[in-house]
Amino acid sequence: MLYGSIEVGGTKMICAIGDDTGRILESCVVATGAPEETVPPMIDFFKSCTDKGMEIAALGIACFGPVDLNKNSATYGYITTTPKTPWINYNIVGAFEEALNVPVGFDTDVNGSLLGEVTWGTSKGLTDVVYLTVGTGIGGGIMSGGKLVHGMMHPETGHILIRPLENDNYPGRCPFHKNCFEGMASGPAIQERWGRPAYELKDRAEVWELESDYIAQAVMSYILILSPQRIILGGGVMKEQVLFGLIRSKVEEKLNGYICTPEMKDLDSYIVPASLEGNQGIMGGLKLAIDAL
Amino acid sequence: MLYGSIEVGGTKMICAIGDDTGRILESCVVATGAPEETVPPMIDFFKSCTDKGMEIAALGIACFGPVDLNKNSATYGYITTTPKTPWINYNIVGAFEEALNVPVGFDTDVNGSLLGEVTWGTSKGLTDVVYLTVGTGIGGGIMSGGKLVHGMMHPETGHILIRPLENDNYPGRCPFHKNCFEGMASGPAIQERWGRPAYELKDRAEVWELESDYIAQAVMSYILILSPQRIILGGGVMKEQVLFGLIRSKVEEKLNGYICTPEMKDLDSYIVPASLEGNQGIMGGLKLAIDAL
């Protein structure tokens, strides 16, 4: 049986067809414009696959937030208040349900990536996991007790308060909270603070010293509030590999021995990079499709 | 059918017998000393109830942490590293299982209180809830997707970092993290900062202005990370009723419109006091017993 998957991103849409082992058989990328120009070629991709004999039984959509995940809501399946204005109040689930006539699973992009990692990645089988992405924005997917966390909406873990360090005069750039975690530590915040994009700052130790402190502060909050079995760090900023070691040692320093578990004694296995080589989101979408069926 | 419940506290133990409607039929209180002097009279209570024809089918224990909740662990059911030294590595589940020969449910005190509130309190039926207690210490019970959050251990929500306010020179008193949330906002922190216990500071507006800011900062993190449907605030410090209004308005101010849900438009129903008049913990223990059976 085949399944469809869509990763809905701010710059590009990835569409794929795969099977229940997570194998991707066919995929395409569509640049993100307004819905009326972006969605039709995505639908065409799935229809052309059907014509080639690759019919999907269900579709999974992992989408940038905020989205409405409440199945009892009149706007379930909608993108809600996004800064990407053409997509405000867009019924993305409805659009694909109508065009393809299959069950559609729906969740946030970060929950999708988390689902990919716990289904087919090195975190397979874990039940309590945080997947944090640090890039253009900062967001987190969360699984607790084997279920993706939704609650009243879905987590927005990137906007928690961190303590700005004394030697950091950057005011932060979050339009809502100024110097929250995302406002201080996203890719654009790094670029604005230091005058260059993160990938041109590799040799500046002070950049990663500061960045790792803010990420470690957030990770400390996730550990204390969620008690996860593992924390996966992905996104463009985390491509700077030096961050992992710095974050691990700062988390240890900040927790200061308060949490005594086997996991805390092996932080190399506890705070880890994503394992699916950038495919965690689209593979998570496949799992959303399987679960929708 | 009858069930036993124990609320294990640092100053007292409450033992009770009740039914599956949450009604308490019989109870007793034992002052907390060392295990060898405290546990026998508790066992005697349940045995004397049996003699009176009130035999219990199962027992639930809601216990101060940290505790080992991992059923695959060799020390499941133990109190682990506690500052109450006679109880370090005490097998509390084993002690009662052996003495009473019934199934024993076990969780943290705060998860117990949460369970009481969602089973028999005004939060009945909710699936994603935070129960925070602000008293001698600060701790939180968490339910996500209808399940109590355990993960690698259990949440320790009281030790997250908050931002000390500029006009507050108090250094904090957490032995692990100095000025974490508990270090800055517990009952003993209030007393040490202002020179008097909280209940003697009712007319000092600046006390509650500061306290509510720290609690609101923590509540903001819980909202962003867990997306709960409700936050229940209990414990001795929360008896100061003026805190509720202050916390609600500061949470609104800090989130600054970022989370748009019906819940956020009605903070009086979102951030609420405990509803079971101090019985939430012992009633939660009954539910732990029912679930253990």
Side-chain angles (χ1 to χ4, degrees):
Chain A
M1 201 171 276
L2 298 178
Y3 302 90
S5 171
I6 302 175
E7 196 177 353
V8 177
T11 57
K12 65 183 180 186
M13 305 286 186
I14 307 176
C15 303
I17 287 187
D19 63 20
D20 63 4
T21 69
R23 195 162 55 112
I24 304 291
L25 303 171
E26 196 93 16
S27 70
C28 82
V29 175
V30 177
T32 305
E36 59 278 14
E37 55 191 7
T38 312
V39 172
M42 296 166 73
I43 290 170
D44 288 346
F45 164 77
F46 290 106
K47 288 196 168 161
S48 73
C49 288
T50 305
D51 294 342
K52 287 189 275 182
M54 301 169 77
E55 195 164 0
I56 61 172
L59 176 70
I61 302 177
C63 184
F64 62 73
V67 290
D68 188 344
L69 300 178
N70 177 358
K71 289 196 174 165
N72 300 318
S73 160
T75 54
Y76 168 76
Y78 283 56
I79 296 169
T80 58
T81 55
T82 167
K84 307 164 196 34
T85 47
W87 295 86
I88 292 176
N89 292 325
Y90 182 70
N91 180 4
I92 192 159
V93 167
F96 285 92
E97 243 169 15
E98 193 178 319
L100 302 177
N101 203 24
V102 290
V104 176
F106 184 52
D107 217 307
T108 59
D109 46 3
V110 278
N111 267 347
S113 292
L114 188 155
L115 202 53
E117 290 286 340
V118 300
T119 309
W120 291 299
T122 49
S123 297
K124 187 171 173 176
L126 296 184
T127 55
D128 292 74
V129 180
V130 173
Y131 178 95
L132 187 76
T133 178
V134 185
T136 312
I138 299 183
I142 300 175
M143 176 168 272
S144 174
K147 290 165 85 168
L148 295 170
V149 172
H150 293 154
M152 83 173 151
M153 189 177 97
H154 51 73
E156 282 286 348
T157 56
H159 292 264
I160 62 170
L161 298 178
I162 46 97
R163 288 183 185 169
L165 295 196
E166 270 179 34
N167 62 354
D168 182 17
N169 296 316
Y170 181 64
R173 54 174 285 126
C174 172
F176 290 89
H177 318 110
K178 202 78 182 165
N179 58 4
C180 68
F181 179 32
E182 176 171 295
M184 294 298 273
S186 68
I190 295 174
Q191 176 158 3
E192 195 170 74
R193 181 190 286 108
W194 303 99
R196 288 156 155 227
Y199 60 84
E200 289 182 13
L201 295 162
K202 279 194 183 302
D203 52 350
R204 297 273 297 276
E206 67 274 30
V207 172
W208 309 109
E209 191 61 31
L210 187 69
E211 181 71 10
S212 62
D213 197 284
Y214 294 151
I215 297 174
Q217 288 188 39
V219 165
M220 177 181 177
S221 286
Y222 306 151
I223 292 173
L224 291 166
I225 295 176
L226 294 161
S227 194
Q229 299 157 326
R230 182 171 293 168
I231 292 177
I232 304 168
L233 301 176
V237 171
M238 292 309 303
K239 289 188 178 140
E240 185 51 49
Q241 289 294 317
V242 73
L243 280 172
F244 283 91
L246 290 169
I247 291 165
R248 289 180 191 122
S249 67
K250 284 180 202 290
V251 165
E252 191 169 10
E253 192 184 300
K254 287 175 199 297
L255 283 172
N256 195 24
Y258 185 65
I259 305 289
C260 301
T261 60
E263 288 89 343
M264 285 293 116
K265 293 190 185 105
D266 181 16
L267 289 181
D268 288 357
S269 311
Y270 187 70
I271 297 172
V272 301
S275 70
L276 296 170
E277 294 167 8
N279 288 325
Q280 54 273 16
I282 201 74
M283 290 170 79
L286 285 181
K287 185 62 164 69
L288 287 173
I290 293 168
D291 291 347
L293 196 67
Chain B
M1 201 171 277
L2 298 178
Y3 303 91
S5 171
I6 303 176
E7 195 178 352
V8 177
T11 56
K12 65 183 179 185
M13 304 286 185
I14 307 175
C15 302
I17 287 185
D19 62 20
D20 63 4
T21 70
R23 196 162 53 112
I24 305 291
L25 304 172
E26 197 92 15
S27 69
C28 83
V29 174
V30 177
T32 305
E36 59 277 16
E37 55 192 7
T38 312
V39 171
M42 296 166 73
I43 290 170
D44 287 347
F45 165 77
F46 290 106
K47 288 197 167 158
S48 73
C49 288
T50 304
D51 294 342
K52 287 189 274 181
M54 302 170 77
E55 194 165 0
I56 61 172
L59 176 71
I61 302 177
C63 182
F64 61 72
V67 290
D68 188 343
L69 301 178
N70 177 0
K71 289 197 174 165
N72 300 318
S73 160
T75 53
Y76 167 76
Y78 282 56
I79 296 169
T80 58
T81 54
T82 167
K84 307 165 197 34
T85 46
W87 294 87
I88 292 176
N89 292 325
Y90 182 70
N91 181 4
I92 192 158
V93 167
F96 285 92
E97 245 169 12
E98 192 178 320
L100 302 177
N101 203 23
V102 291
V104 176
F106 184 51
D107 217 308
T108 59
D109 48 1
V110 277
N111 267 347
S113 293
L114 187 156
L115 202 54
E117 290 286 340
V118 300
T119 308
W120 292 297
T122 49
S123 297
K124 187 172 172 174
L126 295 184
T127 56
D128 292 74
V129 180
V130 174
Y131 179 95
L132 187 77
T133 177
V134 185
T136 312
I138 300 184
I142 299 174
M143 177 168 271
S144 174
K147 291 165 83 168
L148 295 170
V149 172
H150 293 154
M152 82 173 153
M153 188 178 97
H154 51 74
E156 282 286 347
T157 58
H159 291 265
I160 62 170
L161 298 178
I162 46 97
R163 288 182 185 170
L165 295 195
E166 271 180 32
N167 61 354
D168 182 18
N169 296 317
Y170 180 65
R173 55 175 283 128
C174 172
F176 290 89
H177 318 109
K178 202 79 182 164
N179 58 3
C180 68
F181 179 33
E182 176 172 295
M184 294 298 273
S186 67
I190 296 174
Q191 176 157 3
E192 195 170 74
R193 181 190 287 109
W194 303 99
R196 290 158 151 224
Y199 60 83
E200 288 182 13
L201 294 162
K202 279 195 182 304
D203 53 349
R204 297 273 297 276
E206 67 275 29
V207 172
W208 309 109
E209 190 61 30
L210 188 69
E211 181 70 10
S212 62
D213 197 285
Y214 294 152
I215 297 174
Q217 288 188 39
V219 166
M220 178 181 176
S221 285
Y222 306 151
I223 293 173
L224 291 167
I225 294 176
L226 295 161
S227 194
Q229 298 157 326
R230 183 171 292 168
I231 292 177
I232 304 168
L233 302 177
V237 171
M238 292 309 304
K239 288 189 178 140
E240 185 50 48
Q241 289 294 317
V242 72
L243 279 172
F244 283 91
L246 289 169
I247 292 166
R248 289 180 191 122
S249 67
K250 284 180 203 289
V251 165
E252 190 170 10
E253 192 184 300
K254 287 174 198 298
L255 282 173
N256 196 24
Y258 185 66
I259 305 289
C260 302
T261 59
E263 289 89 342
M264 285 293 115
K265 293 190 183 103
D266 181 16
L267 289 181
D268 287 358
S269 310
Y270 187 71
I271 298 172
V272 302
S275 70
L276 295 171
E277 295 166 7
N279 288 325
Q280 55 272 17
I282 201 74
M283 290 171 78
L286 285 180
K287 185 64 164 71
L288 287 173
I290 294 168
D291 292 346
L293 199 67

